[in-house]
Every structure is written in C-alpha cells, then in structure tokens.
Amino acid sequence: MWRGGFVDCHCHLSARDFQEDVEEVIEQAKQSGVAAIVAVAEYSEEFERIIELSNRYHGFVMPCLGVHPVQGLPPQDQRGATLQVMGGGCCEVLTHLSVLYL
Ligand SMILES: [Zn+2]
C-alpha cells in the first residue's frame, strides 16, 4: 500500500560508491521523506546487486534493470541496450523478478 512521499526515480544504489554505507544512505533517505527508490544500473553486472537490494529493502528499493547507452561516445555512435549487452543473466533476473512481483 502506497503511503505517499517522494520517489527517487533514478538512483545508482548499486554503484561502488555505496558499497560501504548503503544501509546508512537508505536510512537517511527514509528519514528525509523518501518513500521509494528506483535503483537503476549502468551495466548488466549490477543486476544481481540491484535484485539483492530490492530483496533486502522490499517495497522501498524498486529494481529497474537496463543499461545506459554507451557513454563517452558521440551521439551517432551511442546505442541502447542490446541482448548481448544485457548478458546471459537476463532470463535468470526476469525469473527472479516474476517471483517477487507477479
Ligand atoms: Zn543514471
């Protein structure tokens, strides 16, 4: 049930910057009125960490699995995610999510 509040709709919680203090970051977000965080990935290697965080903070950390276009390239060379970029773990992640949210 939605209780209202702010939603951080693009948060890189799976980044290495938060490995040491993710619990503190989440607690501070909650105390600041954040009701939910959408955890996004830059690389498919982050999917497992995002799933782990969404399990640990169920109902607060919402997984958003995708990858950024290749960064640092001119616009004509940038691209969206392909199945190759998403990696072989994609089906495993979708199966896991369907158990959690369907
Ligand atoms: Zn981003």
Side-chain angles (χ1 to χ4, degrees), residues 10 12 40-42 68 71:
H10 190 109
H12 288 274
V40 300
E42 284 192 76
H68 276 224
Q71 297 169 338

Side-chain angles (χ1 to χ4, degrees), residues 7 14 21 30 41 44 50 63 72 75 89:
V7 174
S14 57
D21 62 351
K30 287 179 178 179
S44 59
I50 289 174

Side-chain angles (χ1 to χ4, degrees), residues 70-82:
V70 175
Q71 297 169 338
L73 295 175
Q76 69 272 14
D77 294 332
Q78 292 183 3
R79 57 179 167 64
T82 64

Side-chain angles (χ1 to χ4, degrees), residues 15-38:
R16 286 189 210 127
D17 305 282
F18 300 114
Q19 278 187 333
E20 300 296 321
D21 62 351
V22 71
E23 290 179 29
E24 184 180 334
V25 168
I26 287 177
E27 188 56 39
Q28 287 178 357
K30 287 179 178 179
Q31 290 180 10
S32 299
V34 175
I37 291 174
V38 178

